Amino acid sequence: MHLKIASCPHVDQGLVAPGQHVLMIDRVMKTRSIDYGLLADAFEDGVAVRRHLLALGFSSNTLAKKCRPGGGWTRLFLGVYLLTGGTPSRRQLVRGALLRAGPLTFLTGVEAARRHGVRRLPADPRVHVLVPHGRRVTSQGAMLVERTNRPWDGVIIDGFPVVTLARALIDAARKESGLDVVRAFIADAVQRRLCSPEAIAEELKDQRLGGTWLPRRVLAEVSDGVRSAAEAWSRSLVHRSSLPPPQWNVLIRSVSGEQLAVVDGWWDEVGLAWQIDSLEFHLAPDDYARTMAQHSALLANGVMTVHTVPSRLKKDPAAVINELRGAYQAAAQRPRPRVSATLWRPV
């Protein structure tokens, strides 16, 4: 569930929710023998902070004992306890990081992008949280703290405060050193209509923001129509050749208006298509079989198509360029096929 909230709202992290949880706390604490199962149920995701437990009458000594082997609790972060014990779930770990960081804390980076629905993300186990610049809290264990005085907006997703997807993508990219990794998750978000290139560009307006070389490069590729890492490699390869730059991700229609295919690269002046044939690198694998059928439709309408697997773009770029040059020259020597071409942009 997504609920729009104002910029940097105060996240209420009080003791317990009103109503039945208060009655549950009363019932737990007034008994001679504490029911720790009921106590865990009284806190969101079974996660509590030290000051709340002290307010309920637990001593510091008791908290320490409960976190020892066999004590039944697990200390997630400094002053944050998992009352169910054992290994925390991802949700419990996220809850603990937010509680440790305090009010006005938002999820950002990979964790936030995942909760927005982005799929092609690096396997980063850390919970990246955004806190106001003056907050005195540091990274520890699985929690990565980023202090900032740059304003942000957010939403509530599944009960957690999360920055906007554009902010999450940029914060994730700033912590990543792999160009293809950044290409993958930004292109995934754009192609699946989760975030627009304009929103990402807005996040990158601050020229003083550090660590943005990779996302700025990827944004230029995405704005040019590139929607996969392999297409980005193709774009770089063409720029190093003497070929004119093609258009990227172009919808081809027959003379009657029938949709034939969306091709990766398109030289409109000669009617030459370029397809990067890869199930692994395309961001919509379910469409791969349909793409293969579209190749036949292009051929039936006179469109010459060059097919390249992504591995050759890096292993044998000179041969790929020669093939493209040859195909371009051959296409230029015959009448342009009677097809129409328009840029295909899902956002």
Side-chain angles (χ1 to χ4, degrees):
M1 181 178 182
H2 294 54
L3 297 173
K4 184 67 179 179
I5 55 181
S7 297
C8 302
H10 178 86
V11 179
D12 183 11
Q13 298 181 17
L15 180 56
V16 288
Q20 62 180 17
H21 290 298
V22 174
L23 296 177
M24 186 182 294
I25 284 288
D26 288 341
R27 190 165 77 236
V28 169
M29 301 309 296
K30 287 180 180 178
T31 57
R32 187 171 294 179
S33 178
I34 296 175
D35 187 329
Y36 286 101
L38 285 177
L39 180 65
D41 289 341
F43 289 90
E44 288 288 339
D45 301 312
V47 180
V49 295
R50 177 183 176 84
R51 62 187 178 89
H52 292 162
L53 294 170
L54 293 177
L56 291 174
F58 290 97
S59 67
S60 297
N61 191 42
T62 298
L63 300 186
K65 287 181 178 179
K66 291 293 293 179
C67 292
R68 292 172 186 166
W73 291 359
T74 299
R75 192 176 82 163
L76 298 179
F77 303 103
L78 185 63
V80 181
Y81 306 90
L82 177 60
L83 305 185
T84 59
T87 303
S89 65
R90 187 64 184 177
R91 181 178 180 85
Q92 289 170 327
L93 195 64
V94 169
R95 179 71 66 189
L98 289 169
L99 287 172
R100 171 57 189 156
L104 301 179
T105 299
F106 279 72
L107 296 176
T108 190
V110 172
E111 184 65 37
R114 183 181 298 114
R115 293 185 178 277
H116 275 286
V118 180
R119 297 179 303 198
R120 297 180 65 87
L121 290 162
D124 189 344
R126 298 173 298 177
V127 180
H128 190 173
V129 296
L130 200 62
V131 300
H133 189 265
R135 179 70 49 78
R136 293 185 176 182
V137 60
T138 58
S139 301
Q140 57 174 285
M143 179 176 67
L144 173 63
V145 175
E146 181 171 347
R147 286 182 290 273
T148 182
N149 54 13
R150 192 162 66 96
W152 68 85
D153 290 325
V155 295
I156 295 294
I157 302 178
D158 197 23
F160 294 126
V162 182
V163 299
T164 59
L165 180 51
R167 180 64 179 265
L169 293 171
I170 297 307
D171 284 347
R174 291 171 56 232
K175 304 297 181 182
E176 177 57 53
S177 60
L179 176 58
D180 285 343
V181 174
V182 176
R183 280 169 169 161
F185 63 72
I186 289 183
D188 181 53
V190 171
Q191 177 153 319
R192 294 177 49 236
R193 309 188 186 195
L194 301 176
C195 188
S196 69
E198 291 76 17
I200 297 172
E202 185 67 25
E203 280 296 327
L204 289 170
K205 273 188 173 180
D206 188 351
Q207 297 296 324
R208 299 169 300 174
L209 188 62
T212 59
W213 177 82
L214 288 184
R216 290 183 192 280
R217 174 171 173 175
V218 172
L219 178 62
E221 296 171 347
V222 169
S223 298
D224 207 15
V226 168
R227 293 296 183 267
S228 75
E231 287 176 9
W233 301 344
S234 305
R235 179 177 179 269
S236 297
L237 186 146
V238 172
H239 283 181
R240 299 197 303 268
S241 74
S242 58
L243 288 167
Q247 296 173 312
W248 297 99
N249 282 288
V250 175
L251 173 62
I252 308 300
R253 295 182 184 275
S254 68
V255 67
S256 64
E258 176 189 0
Q259 179 174 321
L260 301 177
V262 174
V263 298
D264 298 319
W266 176 254
W267 283 272
D268 190 68
E269 63 276 14
V270 297
L272 175 64
W274 188 17
Q275 292 284 43
I276 312 302
D277 297 322
S278 172
L279 176 62
E280 177 184 358
F281 284 89
H282 275 274
L283 299 177
D286 292 341
D287 293 338
Y288 184 68
R290 183 167 64 246
T291 298
M292 299 304 292
Q294 291 173 346
H295 293 173
S296 298
L298 290 172
L299 181 61
N301 283 268
V303 176
M304 184 182 297
T305 306
V306 176
H307 299 276
T308 305
V309 294
S311 59
R312 296 189 63 225
L313 296 170
K314 289 193 170 183
K315 293 180 179 178
D316 201 5
V320 173
I321 289 177
N322 287 335
E323 290 169 6
L324 290 173
R325 285 173 178 161
Y328 187 93
Q329 292 171 1
Q333 291 173 3
R334 65 176 192 170
R336 183 189 180 282
R338 296 179 61 196
V339 296
S340 62
T342 56
L343 296 180
W344 179 78
R345 299 293 182 265
V347 178

